[in-house]
Amino acid sequence: MLTCRAVFSHLSMKKILVFLFLLFSANVFAGHIAGGEIYYKYLGPGSATGSSRYSITLRLFRECNPPAPPGGTGIAQLPGSVLLNVYNNTSPSSQYGSQLTAQLTGGFQQLAITTPNPCITNPPSVCYQIGSYTIPSIELPNTAAGYIVAYQTCCRTYGIDNLQGVQIPSVSYITDGATYTCQIPGTSQLSFGNNSSPVFALKDTTLVCNASPFKLDFSATDPDPGDSLSYAFCAAYDRGNTTSAGSTNYSSPPFNNINYVSGFSGAQPLGPNVTIDPVTGIISGRAPATGRYVVTVCITEWRNKVPISTHRKDFTLIVKDCQLTTAQLKPTYVNCDSTSVYFENQASS
């Protein structure tokens, strides 16, 4: 038979173990989000007059083998469910309804380069894990302003080089979190009909070598016939009010941008030598030094030449320590003796 002291000790120890488990889980998981995107699909009229139904999906990205932060193990997995908030797209903004739980659907997907380009010397591995979290159907009243859907998390993957982080109480290293959003336009933005958001293509496994030329396809597909898309770099959002992986206290729009280190910005997340094509969404140029870089692309969705919404994707691009085997020639060749010019490849690779 347990005494009162024994019962108390047993319960106290159980609470301590639960607390330590939650604290450890929050710290381990906290640093492994490598990107995200929220998109939605119009399903039809709602049951109430003047309402519409939508499915909403959050994609979260994680490195398959993320770097271990100080005090962490580097093996944390994506969660089994996430929390989403819906806000009225007004100023000031207000939350619509209660916080929603989106469940993981279809298990985890893995994107990896299994056959690297033979022209790359010392090709490293590139691998991402993707979790898709879906609310199958939500009914929203049709309003003039529309809605913003958001997910917030305290911490990005460890060791991001263009991010000027902060000290978060529950995290052992300097970092910042992320807010992933989508915009459902209201009747004042839509000239006619309803809207489903664009969806970015899953082409995130480009192997990028430091200081080498590269191309990365950041294009998207819009399911609405007649809508057109334009692309631009934009600033990534910070963690809002969240201080751990399990935080439920989200901040409301407008969301704050992260702080970039000198030489980088939302408009130049990979430095001045990398640009994005506003028509195709192709990111190209000469990569920065080896490291991890937050890249956020904003899509402006157009209908009848009028912008109706902005769609975002936030992603951590990894620049690897490798070398692209290419020809290297001198800038100029001068020969005043004949019409023949001798030149040879200067690249050691």
Side-chain angles (χ1 to χ4, degrees):
M1 181 176 180
L2 294 174
T3 65
C4 291
R5 177 175 294 181
V7 171
F8 175 78
S9 299
H10 174 74
L11 292 176
S12 298
M13 182 58 67
K14 187 175 182 180
K15 289 180 180 179
I16 291 172
L17 291 175
V18 170
F19 171 76
L20 290 176
F21 172 78
L22 292 175
L23 180 63
F24 177 76
S25 298
N27 277 300
V28 171
F29 169 68
H32 297 150
I33 297 297
E37 173 196 10
I38 299 179
Y39 59 91
Y40 61 91
K41 180 180 180 180
Y42 173 72
L43 300 178
S47 59
T49 303
S51 67
S52 298
R53 292 182 299 112
Y54 301 90
S55 65
I56 300 175
T57 300
L58 164 69
R59 277 180 182 161
L60 287 181
F61 295 80
R62 170 192 177 272
E63 293 181 48
C64 297
N65 300 292
T73 65
I75 58 173
Q77 301 299 313
L78 291 171
S81 63
V82 296
L83 297 173
L84 302 179
N85 280 6
V86 179
Y87 300 94
N88 294 297
N89 190 18
T90 54
S91 184
S93 178
S94 59
Q95 184 175 340
Y96 175 82
S98 58
Q99 203 161 43
L100 304 172
T101 300
Q103 300 290 344
L104 176 69
T105 54
F108 297 118
Q109 182 179 359
Q110 185 165 296
L111 291 179
I113 294 180
T114 56
T115 307
N117 189 328
C119 293
I120 294 178
T121 304
N122 189 33
S125 63
V126 177
C127 179
Y128 290 97
Q129 185 185 45
I130 304 170
S132 294
Y133 304 85
T134 300
I135 298 174
S137 180
I138 179 175
E139 187 170 313
L140 299 173
N142 300 331
T143 64
Y147 301 91
I148 292 175
V149 183
Y151 166 76
Q152 289 186 337
T153 184
C154 75
C155 320
R156 297 174 181 269
T157 192
Y158 173 64
I160 298 178
D161 291 88
N162 62 346
L163 167 64
Q164 183 179 331
V166 296
Q167 184 65 64
I168 302 172
S170 65
V171 182
S172 60
Y173 58 96
I174 301 298
T175 186
D176 204 337
T179 300
Y180 306 127
T181 72
C182 71
Q183 179 186 352
I184 301 176
T187 55
S188 63
Q189 290 89 34
L190 293 173
S191 55
F192 61 90
N194 297 279
N195 192 62
S196 296
S197 70
V199 181
F200 282 94
L202 289 176
K203 297 182 179 180
D204 305 292
T205 51
T206 298
L207 180 54
V208 180
C209 296
N210 61 315
S212 297
F214 77 99
K215 286 187 178 182
L216 176 60
D217 187 349
F218 238 69
S219 62
T221 301
D222 194 303
D224 297 315
D227 288 1
S228 59
L229 308 175
S230 61
Y231 303 84
F233 286 135
C234 54
Y237 289 148
D238 69 8
R239 71 190 189 285
N241 294 332
T242 59
T243 56
S244 70
S247 293
T248 61
N249 181 26
Y250 293 2
S251 62
S252 300
F255 302 112
N256 297 320
N257 299 335
I258 64 169
N259 293 317
Y260 292 85
V261 301
S262 178
F264 301 93
S265 65
Q268 293 184 338
L270 298 171
N273 298 321
V274 179
T275 59
I276 184 169
D277 189 305
V279 177
T280 64
I282 300 295
I283 298 173
S284 62
R286 187 167 294 273
T290 301
R292 288 170 170 77
Y293 300 86
V294 175
V295 178
T296 303
V297 172
C298 284
I299 294 176
T300 300
E301 191 176 3
W302 302 79
R303 182 172 297 178
N304 287 348
K305 301 182 180 180
V306 176
I308 60 173
S309 73
T310 300
H311 186 66
R312 302 167 57 91
K313 181 179 177 180
D314 178 312
F315 190 72
T316 301
L317 179 68
I318 305 174
V319 179
K320 299 284 189 174
D321 184 17
C322 52
Q323 184 178 8
L324 180 64
T325 304
T326 57
Q328 180 179 337
L329 303 177
K330 295 178 180 179
T332 59
Y333 292 86
V334 178
N335 182 9
C336 299
D337 298 328
S338 69
T339 57
S340 299
V341 177
Y342 173 79
F343 59 91
E344 63 182 359
N345 184 12
Q346 306 291 315
S348 59
S349 60

